[in-house]
Amino acid sequence: MMNNTEWIKQQTLACYQAVKEGHAEPIEMYNRVVELNIKLVHAVLAKYKPYTEDQFQIGCMGLLSASRTYKLETNVPFSSYAGFCIERAIQQDYVQRMKQFEAQVEGSQWVYLDAVSKDADGDGVRNDEVIYDERAEKALYQFIEDNELEFMVNNIIKPVINDLAERGRNSQSKLNAEEWKKLEFVYVMEVAMEDSQKQRMTLSQLAKGSNVSIQNVKTRHAKVMDELFQRMWDYMTLSYTELFERLRGNHKVPHKLICFDPGKTTGWCTFVDGKLDHYGQVADCYDEDNIDVSGVLKLLQEEHPDYILYEDYKVYAHKLERHTFNPVFTLRLIGAIETYSQMYNIPTHKQMAVTAKNFCTDEKLKQWGFWEPGMRHARDAIRHGCYFLLFYKKGGDINA
């Protein structure tokens, strides 16, 4: 039986054969070739993810150009030729846009890595230097606290960095070990921080602060990441039950914990004495006009939890424009959960989305037997419950 790829290849060749033999209008056949091979645009753009609608349109223009210039006589597969044309169209568009941008910018406005800029106090600062920012430091540690990452930071990340610094103590190097440890920690943590690609420390800054070359810090960073992975491996491969017993020990957890992933479809699950009991989803918790908390409140009354965990929601500075005039119904839904907890004196805890998803990945849920197809929101609630029970107040009781 012929697969789809082979069928498209044969149909494409048939179109060009029909044009060559004069049995069909060229424009009609070229359009047919574009329809048959439109997936090539997605395949080429996969390397540019996330790509824009404009880039897709440019890619389609490249495919159209390929359909009109392809020659059967070359014996080159059409897919190969079209891929080249699509890639070239995208690259040419990028070059053109960069030229237009450069034409609008005065030469004095360009900032080069070795140039000198002015900081807020008017002092001259090289762009590859690291400037201490108290607000950024507070934001980093607030991120660690918000996401319950203290255990990871204190027991895995910092010890790995310290160990690698100690190993190189006696080597012939100009490395400023203390500065490298501080900067490497920030560099590692910013990888995890939301939208960190917009504000991350560069390797140039890391090298400058550590008094070594970029290649040196790049090699050291690779060793840090490799060591982190190795130390995390035990936690990755253990079953949930084994991991729970190893990390929680004999310390108390809530008898009945209910976890929520609030949203238009709200996912939920319950853990009884640390074990996943059951889960589900509450549909239509809000529409375009208002929220409907009846389903969530009914669930709370039926389950009678002695502890409530829910995913928190924060409006970050870079999302302000998106939230302008937005009713943010998720926040109202969270408010209803908090109100219920206060009315019935039920303790609560909130976690950010990145907290659970970074550790309790899809692969891990499948390994643990907690994966249920078609229950995306319930799975997110399960992630929160697992992370909370494993790491919150590790080494102590979680009092209900």
Side-chain angles (χ1 to χ4, degrees), residues 365-383:
L365 289 187
K366 292 175 182 177
Q367 177 188 326
W368 292 344
F370 294 166
W371 177 275
E372 183 66 28
M375 300 284 281
R376 176 166 63 91
H377 303 286
R379 293 198 299 265
D380 286 342
I382 294 172
R383 294 182 215 274

Side-chain angles (χ1 to χ4, degrees), residues 34-184:
V34 170
E35 292 175 2
L36 286 167
N37 293 275
I38 194 69
K39 289 185 178 180
L40 287 174
V41 179
H42 293 288
V44 173
L45 284 171
K47 67 177 71 175
Y48 297 98
K49 282 185 177 181
Y51 56 84
T52 66
E53 184 66 27
D54 287 342
Q55 286 175 307
F56 178 74
Q57 293 297 330
I58 296 297
C60 289
M61 292 173 64
L63 177 60
L64 181 60
S65 174
S67 72
R68 297 186 178 187
T69 57
Y70 178 69
K71 303 296 181 184
L72 276 175
E73 295 77 14
T74 62
N75 291 321
V76 174
F78 176 78
S79 58
S80 300
Y81 178 72
F84 168 77
C85 292
I86 294 167
E87 183 89 39
R88 183 179 61 181
I90 294 169
Q91 293 296 336
Q92 287 179 338
D93 175 68
Y94 173 77
V95 170
Q96 183 62 32
R97 285 188 291 108
M98 286 303 297
K99 287 181 178 179
Q100 293 174 352
F101 174 72
E102 291 173 12
Q104 298 172 11
V105 178
E106 296 291 337
S108 61
Q109 291 179 281
W110 286 99
V111 177
Y112 297 93
L113 191 61
D114 58 353
V116 176
S117 300
K118 298 288 185 181
D119 64 12
D121 298 323
D123 297 326
V125 179
R126 284 175 57 90
N127 294 312
D128 59 354
E129 292 181 340
V130 179
I131 307 302
Y132 174 72
D133 186 340
E134 185 177 358
R135 290 174 301 175
E137 185 176 49
K138 286 182 178 179
L140 173 60
Y141 282 94
Q142 185 64 49
F143 173 82
I144 293 171
E145 182 179 341
D146 286 346
N147 292 284
E148 302 295 338
L149 296 175
E150 291 93 342
F151 172 78
M152 297 288 186
V153 167
N154 296 327
N155 293 275
I156 300 176
I157 298 175
K158 284 187 175 180
V160 164
I161 294 173
N162 289 336
D163 287 351
L164 287 172
E166 286 300 318
R167 290 178 204 170
R169 274 295 176 196
N170 299 321
S171 63
Q172 295 292 327
S173 174
K174 297 180 180 179
L175 176 75
N176 183 329
E178 293 305 314
E179 283 302 310
W180 175 76
K181 287 195 295 184
K182 294 176 186 176
L183 297 176
E184 176 66 21

Side-chain angles (χ1 to χ4, degrees), residues 114-286:
D114 58 353
V116 176
S117 300
K118 298 288 185 181
D119 64 12
D121 298 323
D123 297 326
V125 179
R126 284 175 57 90
N127 294 312
D128 59 354
E129 292 181 340
V130 179
I131 307 302
Y132 174 72
D133 186 340
E134 185 177 358
R135 290 174 301 175
E137 185 176 49
K138 286 182 178 179
L140 173 60
Y141 282 94
Q142 185 64 49
F143 173 82
I144 293 171
E145 182 179 341
D146 286 346
N147 292 284
E148 302 295 338
L149 296 175
E150 291 93 342
F151 172 78
M152 297 288 186
V153 167
N154 296 327
N155 293 275
I156 300 176
I157 298 175
K158 284 187 175 180
V160 164
I161 294 173
N162 289 336
D163 287 351
L164 287 172
E166 286 300 318
R167 290 178 204 170
R169 274 295 176 196
N170 299 321
S171 63
Q172 295 292 327
S173 174
K174 297 180 180 179
L175 176 75
N176 183 329
E178 293 305 314
E179 283 302 310
W180 175 76
K181 287 195 295 184
K182 294 176 186 176
L183 297 176
E184 176 66 21
F185 172 68
V186 174
Y187 192 83
V188 169
M189 292 307 300
E190 285 188 350
V191 173
M193 291 179 72
E194 186 172 7
D195 287 344
S196 61
Q197 66 272 19
K198 296 180 180 178
Q199 57 189 3
R200 277 188 61 189
M201 177 188 299
T202 66
L203 282 172
S204 296
Q205 293 172 326
L206 182 52
K208 177 75 173 180
S210 305
N211 195 37
V212 289
S213 68
I214 292 177
Q215 185 57 46
N216 187 301
V217 294
K218 187 176 182 180
T219 301
R220 288 176 179 275
H221 177 68
K223 290 180 179 178
V224 168
M225 298 307 292
D226 184 58
E227 186 75 19
L228 285 175
F229 180 81
Q230 291 182 36
R231 295 199 187 186
M232 284 298 298
W233 185 249
D234 285 345
Y235 297 103
M236 294 177 184
T237 57
L238 290 175
S239 68
Y240 170 77
T241 301
E242 291 174 306
L243 197 54
F244 178 80
E245 291 175 352
R246 177 181 294 193
L247 296 178
R248 186 54 62 184
N250 295 321
H251 295 286
K252 295 180 180 178
V253 297
H255 169 62
K256 192 167 191 179
L257 168 71
I258 189 166
C259 314
F260 287 106
D261 173 43
K264 186 171 184 178
T265 298
T266 295
W268 64 273
C269 69
T270 59
F271 285 80
V272 175
D273 295 328
K275 297 180 180 179
L276 181 62
D277 189 54
H278 57 301
Y279 48 84
Q281 297 183 158
V282 181
D284 301 320
C285 291
Y286 56 77

